Amino acid sequence: MLKFTDLTLPEPLQRAAADLNFVKPTSVQELTIPWLLDNDKDLITIAQTGTGKTAAFGFPVLSLTDIEKKAVQTLILCPTRELCLQIAGDFEVYAKYMPRIKTVAIYGGAPIYKQKELLKSGAHIVVGTPGRVFDMIRQEVLKVDHIACLVLDEADEMLNMGFKEDLFSIMSHTPKEKQTLLFSATMPKEVAKLAQTFMKDPHRITTGNEKQGAENISHFFYRVSARDKYLALKRIADMSPKIYGIIFCRTRNETQEIADKLQQDGYNADALHGDLSQGQRELVMSRFRSKYVRLLVATDVAARGLDVDDLTHIINFHAPLEPDIYIHRSGRTGRAGKSGISITIVHAKEIAALKAIENRLGREITFAKVPTGRDICEKQLFNFIDTVERVEIDSVQIESFLPSVYKKLGWMTREELIQRFVSVEFNRFLNYYKDNFDLDQPEEKRTRESKQSFTFKTFRLSIGANQQLNKRELMRYINKLKVARSIEIGQIDIYKDYCLVDLDARYEEQLLKAIPRNKVLGIPILVEVENPTKRNKGRQIRG
Ligand code: ADP
Ligand code: MG
């Protein structure tokens, strides 16, 4: 087993690696570091995200930097501000025992004058986004005509983001004699073309990590009709109460739309895409890293700068058209020896794309049935019960409250108490999935009524037990109103001189019109929609 200390790196870098707990080089480092220490030819390294590429070029670049030379020696280009800061930050850490080496980060979306100051005070290594770098070259604040090494990190993403022109312009300012290193997770045609234009007979390193990494990733697909994708997504999320994942969408619009819907439906979700301001993006990412946001809806480009280790799920809202993109996305889960799940939600026309992915992956993507409402309720219930069983009780803190709580709840039986406290957590799922349909079934097999889910509204009618009203009478009355072919009736509570009844909220308007026109037991009725919180209070008083 090759150790980090076996790489012939200078002692200060060895110490920094040891501080970082880099014991064993990753495969890309094992292949790249020794080669770069011995060669000054061009290099292309293809390896997926999270395989340690920054250190693979960072350690050799640092060890080959000449501190005495007062000029930029290495220019590193990367697609986003986050990556730029990440790489510069990593370099600081690697070079902590080489304090005289200066690395400067320059990127858009931040005041240019500060970055100019930093450059003027001298930098050996510059990490930048192409747009800002070219700006600074044009303004003659940044001189790259003597660099020895040019690094293109995430080359595929830089091209995806439309930095091609800037890259060409920057290259034209660099010297002919230099070493160019290209790092990329995937190798689409555009990257190959870029390499052909700017690199001389490059050496190639490709790591087999993709397939190794895939061992602990399970691949599933769900097949639904195109317009049920969102419903399927929610069920998948509901089926995994501890989900922490990224949902990949195609466009910025779609990303935002799905994140909005998820938020409205009560999930801790947020969107990450290129239309957000820098500040917004940073906020979303930090909320996701801290796991406050559990579902991040993102485009490929926006998710690039995000290095998160313990994702449970990667969800493809569509089958990606390029197999490499699938492999790259799914490689974000199942890291550090943990298991991960990669899910693709497809409709009939996407099956072919899935086949292409399977071929590239060398593994089968397993068909899975969309969980039913019952499956989900059961899963959530047991998850909740499990949490209750494991919860740590802080006796000291709650002691003083307990006597009055015991007193208040003392009238309930054990079973009743359990039912109620389960319901507190669980009503959302029970109601939502009440009679929800099977998404795997073709649409024509589903009943019409169950196609849409609905919520109940509570209606208060001015008749009660004093007027001899009972539940059966009330139900007969509601059905006689004929506001719908068959209207769903929920909970009914009859009080002395009024009653509360839960009815399908979609028919609110019709009900408010029809009820005053129809008598119950010969008595004219007043009706209003009841405030839900009031209703709960009413129940407690009754108890
Ligand atoms: P990439 O650029 O390939 O996406 P990074 O360079 O961002 O990957 O590294 C991913 C993570 O792996 C980082 O958190 C980094 O600190 C860690 N890492 C890199 N090399 C090693 C190593 N040899 N041992 C342990 N962790 C490592
Ligand atoms: Mg990287």
Side-chain angles (χ1 to χ4, degrees):
M1 180 179 100
L2 189 76
K3 293 212 201 69
F4 224 90
T5 42
D6 299 331
L7 303 167
T8 52
L9 287 166
E11 193 273 338
L13 289 174
Q14 300 259 11
R15 256 199 293 161
D19 286 358
L20 281 164
N21 285 324
F22 287 8
V23 180
K24 206 174 143 348
T26 65
S27 15
V28 68
Q29 291 163 358
E30 189 176 328
L31 294 167
T32 307
I33 295 176
W35 192 88
L36 282 176
L37 292 174
D38 282 347
N39 292 277
D40 54 11
K41 278 178 50 188
D42 292 353
L43 170 73
I44 297 178
T45 293
I46 306 293
Q48 74 173 128
T49 300
T51 50
K53 293 192 286 297
T54 317
F57 63 79
F59 282 98
V61 160
L62 286 165
S63 80
L64 296 168
T65 300
D66 180 353
I67 301 174
E68 304 309 328
K69 249 196 209 155
K70 296 279 174 255
V72 178
Q73 293 163 49
T74 301
L75 173 63
I76 300 164
L77 297 172
C78 64
T80 64
R81 165 178 156 141
E82 288 77 35
L83 268 174
C84 197
L85 289 167
Q86 203 170 301
I87 295 169
D90 286 348
F91 269 59
E92 298 276 309
V93 176
Y94 303 160
K96 70 196 243 203
Y97 300 113
M98 306 169 105
R100 289 176 62 208
I101 293 198
K102 276 197 66 181
T103 304
V104 168
I106 60 179
Y107 43 83
I112 199 163
Y113 66 89
K114 275 195 199 150
Q115 298 174 3
K116 281 185 183 167
E117 291 299 308
L118 285 172
L119 281 180
K120 276 185 200 153
S121 63
H124 299 102
I125 299 163
V126 169
V127 190
T129 51
R132 180 58 63 94
V133 165
F134 183 53
D135 255 8
M136 295 226 176
I137 292 175
R138 236 181 351 202
Q139 297 183 28
E140 297 186 354
V141 201
L142 173 61
K143 295 207 167 57
V144 293
D145 42 2
H146 283 95
I147 59 169
C149 180
L150 175 68
V151 181
L152 305 170
D153 193 24
E154 309 266 16
D156 50 352
E157 224 34 80
M158 285 200 283
L159 293 178
N160 277 347
M161 289 181 68
F163 281 133
K164 192 168 147 191
E165 300 279 299
D166 287 322
L167 287 178
F168 276 61
S169 313
I170 294 167
M171 305 276 195
S172 71
H173 284 80
T174 61
K176 260 215 163 82
E177 290 302 316
K178 64 172 183 299
Q179 183 175 33
T180 303
L181 315 178
L182 186 150
F183 291 83
S184 198
T186 62
M187 190 69 181
K189 282 188 210 100
E190 293 71 33
V191 177
K193 249 190 261 165
L194 183 81
Q196 242 172 18
T197 319
F198 291 108
M199 300 176 84
K200 272 172 278 172
D201 188 23
H203 178 69
R204 274 172 176 272
I205 291 173
T206 310
T207 59
N209 258 22
E210 284 174 2
K211 292 202 172 155
Q212 275 174 30
E215 287 307 306
N216 43 2
I217 303 172
S218 320
H219 300 265
F220 296 104
F221 76 96
Y222 294 86
R223 186 179 165 159
V224 296
S225 69
R227 69 152 173 234
D228 285 335
K229 282 192 170 189
Y230 177 71
L231 289 177
L233 170 67
K234 281 210 298 187
R235 290 201 188 177
I236 291 162
D238 289 343
M239 197 62 189
S240 305
K242 300 199 170 81
I243 194 166
Y244 178 50
I246 304 181
I247 299 156
F248 284 99
C249 291
R250 277 200 194 125
T251 63
R252 296 168 178 194
N253 277 345
E254 187 183 58
T255 303
Q256 190 65 55
E257 191 186 305
I258 289 177
D260 287 348
K261 276 205 233 169
L262 284 170
Q263 282 178 354
Q264 276 161 25
D265 288 335
Y267 298 83
N268 289 327
D270 217 331
L272 189 68
H273 55 71
D275 279 350
L276 303 177
S277 74
Q278 201 54 55
Q280 287 172 317
R281 287 171 61 177
E282 264 158 33
L283 187 69
V284 171
M285 289 207 264
S286 82
R287 279 152 52 106
F288 185 57
R289 282 202 192 95
S290 67
K291 300 197 181 163
Y292 173 73
V293 166
R294 311 284 307 187
L295 293 171
L296 184 73
V297 192
T299 56
D300 286 293
V301 174
R304 265 297 162 102
L306 194 67
D307 184 32
V308 181
D309 260 343
D310 42 3
L311 297 177
T312 60
H313 286 70
I314 293 297
I315 301 179
N316 299 292
F317 201 67
H318 307 277
L321 296 175
E322 287 224 26
D324 277 359
I325 292 181
Y326 178 92
I327 288 169
H328 186 233
R329 287 179 185 173
S330 61
R332 288 172 157 275
T333 183
R335 295 225 196 132
K338 291 188 188 137
S339 61
I341 297 176
S342 173
I343 283 172
T344 310
I345 307 173
V346 299
H347 59 78
K349 287 184 184 146
E350 293 176 295
I351 295 289
L354 216 53
K355 285 275 166 287
I357 294 168
E358 280 184 331
N359 286 340
R360 174 79 178 80
L361 193 64
R363 281 185 58 180
E364 190 191 345
I365 301 177
T366 314
F367 169 79
K369 274 177 74 72
V370 180
T372 63
R374 205 197 137 72
D375 297 337
I376 291 164
C377 289
E378 190 177 303
K379 181 86 182 199
Q380 291 282 350
L381 180 60
F382 284 105
N383 179 59
F384 175 62
I385 297 307
D386 200 49
T387 315
V388 170
E389 260 191 305
R390 284 158 192 254
V391 72
E392 276 188 37
I393 297 175
D394 185 340
S395 327
V396 180
Q397 292 291 324
I398 61 171
E399 203 185 307
S400 61
F401 302 105
L402 286 178
S404 47
V405 174
Y406 290 146
K407 202 166 149 202
K408 181 145 178 54
L409 301 180
W411 60 274
M412 278 185 254
T413 64
R414 179 174 180 272
E415 282 69 28
E416 224 173 337
L417 183 63
I418 293 177
Q419 281 164 18
R420 277 174 191 249
F421 110 113
V422 166
S423 303
V424 168
E425 177 72 15
F426 201 50
N427 275 352
R428 176 175 145 224
F429 290 103
L430 276 182
N431 268 334
Y432 182 70
Y433 286 113
K434 203 162 190 277
D435 46 14
N436 245 327
F437 48 92
D438 184 352
L439 287 178
D440 286 315
Q441 286 289 323
E443 284 194 56
E444 56 278 11
K445 284 202 185 163
R446 299 177 199 155
T447 62
R448 207 153 176 268
E449 215 61 53
S450 62
K451 230 180 212 170
Q452 254 172 304
S453 62
F454 66 91
T455 51
F456 281 123
K457 267 227 166 103
T458 303
F459 294 78
R460 179 193 175 111
L461 276 60
S462 62
I463 181 171
N466 285 353
Q467 289 82 31
Q468 314 302 318
L469 181 74
N470 59 32
K471 282 192 182 178
R472 188 202 295 217
E473 194 59 46
L474 183 63
M475 281 162 72
R476 203 156 61 198
Y477 169 72
I478 303 287
N479 286 321
K480 253 179 28 199
L481 294 171
K482 291 212 161 46
V483 294
R485 204 149 43 108
S486 92
I487 186 165
E488 197 69 32
I489 302 176
Q491 189 174 331
I492 294 176
D493 290 324
I494 295 178
Y495 298 87
K496 276 187 194 151
D497 46 21
Y498 71 97
C499 65
L500 298 177
V501 53
D502 283 351
L503 296 168
D504 187 340
R506 289 175 298 176
Y507 301 114
E508 175 177 346
E509 216 176 309
Q510 293 99 306
L511 285 163
L512 290 177
K513 272 192 201 140
I515 292 172
R517 289 196 204 127
N518 291 274
K519 295 178 182 173
V520 188
L521 302 164
I523 302 166
I525 307 293
L526 298 173
V527 61
E528 58 187 337
V529 172
E530 181 78 358
N531 171 340
T533 52
K534 249 191 192 163
R535 179 169 201 179
N536 285 338
K537 262 194 212 135
R539 251 187 239 145
Q540 282 172 8
I541 291 162
R542 199 163 51 117

